[in-house]
Amino acid sequence: MRIRWIVMCAACGVLIALGPGPLSPYGAMIAWTLLLQGTFALSYDILGGYGGELHLGHGSFFGIGVYTSALAITHGAAWWWAVPAAGLAGGAAAGLFYPLLVPLRGVPFALVSLGLLLSCGLLARNLAGITGGTAGLSLPSAFDMDGPYLWSILLFAGTLWVHDSIPDSRFGRALCAAAVDPEAAASSGVPTGHVRGRALVLGAVAAALAGGIYPLPMAYVSPQSAFGLEVALAPVVAVLLGGPASRWGPLLGVVLYTGLQEWLWTRGWQWSLAMTGMGLMAAGVFLPRGLAGLVSGSR
Amino acid sequence: MSFDLQTLLGGLYLGALYGTAAVGFQVVLGSSGRVHLAYGHMWIAWALLLSSVHVVGSVPLPAVLPVMVAAGWFVGWFLHPVVLWRGPLSNERATSFFLITLGAALVIEDAGSRLWPLPGTAMAWAPEPFVLAGVTLPRAKLALMGAALITSLGVHLFLKRNRWGMALRAWDRGRAPVYLAGVSPESLGRRAAGLGFALSALAGGFLALSYTVSIREGMAMTVRALVLAVLGGTLSPLGVLGLGMGMGVGEAFVGQVLGMRWGPAVGYGLLLFLLPVLERRRT
C-alpha cells in the first residue's frame, strides 16, 4: 500500500513538474481527457461499484458542474473560483436528490437516476435564458492548458486516493455491507441510508469538479456535451468494462474505452454513441464482473 | 372554449398513441419482469421506417403497415428471445438485461440519427376534418384514436380469454402456475415478445401518420411507456390506454402553457416522484 502510494505521488509530482509542455497539443488533450474520464469513472465507482447500484444518473452531476463553471466564467468569475463552485453545486444537487435516490435500490434506483439525468438535460435545453438552450454557452475564450491540466492531476490524484481508501475504511466496509445485504448491515448497526447518501454526495462532488474543469479548454458547452447520454454513460461503460468495485478496474476501463474511441475517431469512425451502446451490451453479456474480474483482481 | 377543447382532443389523441405503445411495453415487461430500455427507440425507428418506405419508396400505406407489424412480430419472436431469454443471460441478474437494452437503445439512436438526420416528417394523410359545435374534429386523428382503442381492447381480450394470454397473466404472478398449466415458458416468452414488438410497430405506424419525430426522442418515449406500464396496473391494456390519454392531455396543456418542448417533463415528473412512492409502498 505504502509503496504504491509513494509511486503514485512521485508520478503525480513528475506530471505536475513537467506540465503539458513536453506533449504535443493533441497529446496534452488526450492526457487531460484520460485524467478527467478517470476522475469521472472513479467517482462513479464509489456508489456504482462499492455501493452496488447502477447509477445511470451520475452524469447529471458532471453536467451540473459543467454548467456551473461555464456560467460562473461567463459572468466574470476567474476559473479557479468557477471550478470549486462547480463542486459545491454538485454536492448541493446530490443533497437535493438524496431523498429521491437513497431509499431506492436496484432497477428503481437506476430508473429514477436516469430520470434525473434526462430531467437535467431537459432543463438545460429549455431554460434558454440561463443555459443558452440547445445553442449552448460560449466562454469568453479558451484557457491555456497549463492550469486545467494541473488541476486535473490534483483532482484525479485526490479521487484516486478516496477511491483507493474505501475498501480499508470503516465507511467503505459499511458501504459494501449495505450493498451486499442491507438488512443484515442495518441489523448490525450500519446506518445504510446515511452511508449510501455519503457515497452519493462524495461521488457527486468529484464528478462535478471534473465537470467544472471540462469547459476550460473547450470554451463552449451545450446540453449534449454536458448531459448527453454518450457523455453521461461513459463512466458506467468504463467501470463495467474494467470491473466495478476494484482498485484498478475503472482506470483500466477508461484507458481501454477512451483509447478505442480515440483510435476510431482518428480513423474517421465517429460512432461514439453506438460504441457506448456496444460497450454496455458487451459488458452485460460477457463481462458481468468486468476485465478486473477476469484477471481475478476484483474484490 | 373551442381552443381548450381542441387542445383536449389533441392531448387525447397523443395519449392514445402513447397508450398503444405502452400496452406493448407492458406485455414485454410482464413477460420478462424487466424494463426494456430500447423500446422507445424501436417505436420511433418503426415510425421513421414507415415514413421512409411510404414516402421515398412510394409504397402504399395499407401495404406498409401490415408488413411492418409482421416485421415487429418477427423481431420479437425470432431475434429477441435469442438474446434476452434463451442466451447466456437467462439466469443472469436483471442488470444485464438492463445494460443490453440500454446499449441497444444507444446503438439504434446513433444508427438512426445517421439514417434520419432530420426529424421524420408526418405523412400526408389528412382527410377533410369536420366541425361539431364549433370544434374542428380531424377525421384522421379520430380514426387513429379509434384504432388505438380497438387495439387495446383486443389485447385486453387476448389476456382475458386466450390460453396464452391467461398464461401470460399467470406468468406475471409467478412461474409455478404456468408450469402447472403445461405451458412452455419459452413459447410464452416468444409470443409475448412478438406481441410486444408488433404493438410497437403498430404504434410507430400511428405516430408516423400524424407527428414529426426524431430518433433522439427515443429515451423520452421509453420513459413515457414505462411510466404508463407501471402505473397502469399489471397487464391492464385498457388502464394503460386510459392513463396514456391522461398523460397526453397533461402534455398538451403543459405544452399550451409552457411550450411543446416541455412536454416530456410530465413523464419525467411522474417517473421521479411516483416511482419512488410506489416502490416504498411495495417494500
Side-chain angles (χ1 to χ4, degrees), chain B residues 43-253:
Chain B
W43 174 17
I44 293 190
W46 288 121
L48 293 167
L49 192 65
L50 180 94
S51 188
S52 299
V53 172
H54 177 64
V55 176
V56 180
S58 304
V59 183
L61 193 65
V64 185
L65 195 58
V67 170
M68 222 174 64
V69 172
W73 179 274
F74 177 86
V75 169
W77 177 274
F78 288 103
L79 304 179
H80 211 62
V82 173
V83 181
L84 296 172
W85 272 280
R86 294 178 61 208
L89 289 172
S90 51
N91 294 318
E92 283 288 346
R93 298 170 302 160
T95 308
S96 293
F97 184 97
F98 204 80
L99 290 175
I100 291 172
T101 55
L102 180 62
L106 301 189
V107 172
I108 294 172
E109 183 165 327
D110 206 341
S113 57
R114 283 155 211 278
L115 280 171
W116 299 287
L118 297 172
T121 46
M123 290 161 56
W125 186 56
E128 194 67 25
F130 64 97
V131 180
L132 187 71
V135 181
T136 309
L137 298 169
R139 285 176 210 270
K141 289 190 175 181
L142 287 178
L144 288 173
M145 217 181 330
L149 188 63
I150 290 168
T151 305
S152 299
L153 198 60
V155 177
H156 173 79
L157 290 174
F158 167 76
L159 292 170
K160 292 274 182 193
R161 304 277 168 84
N162 184 280
R163 174 172 169 252
W164 289 99
M166 287 192 278
L168 190 58
R169 282 169 53 220
W171 179 257
D172 194 50
R173 289 175 170 77
R175 295 183 176 209
V178 174
Y179 285 120
L180 288 173
V183 170
S184 153
E186 189 185 312
S187 299
L188 185 64
R190 280 181 177 278
R191 276 161 210 269
L195 177 62
F197 285 99
L199 285 169
S200 84
L202 186 67
F206 291 170
L207 195 64
L209 284 168
S210 44
Y211 282 96
T212 301
V213 284
S214 157
I215 195 78
R216 296 251 171 219
E217 294 166 51
M219 196 53 80
M221 291 299 196
T222 302
V223 169
R224 284 180 179 118
L226 168 73
V227 168
L228 294 176
V230 170
L231 302 181
T234 309
L235 285 175
S236 160
L238 294 175
V240 168
L241 184 69
L243 255 184
M245 288 179 151
M247 182 189 270
V249 171
E251 284 197 9
F253 279 98

Side-chain angles (χ1 to χ4, degrees), chain A residues 54 56 100 126 270-271 274 277, chain B residues 98 103 110 114 261-262 272:
Chain A
L54 190 59
L56 298 176
L100 275 179
N126 290 348
Q270 296 168 2
W271 290 72
Chain B
F98 204 80
D110 206 341
R114 283 155 211 278
R261 62 188 195 281
W262 285 100
L272 290 183

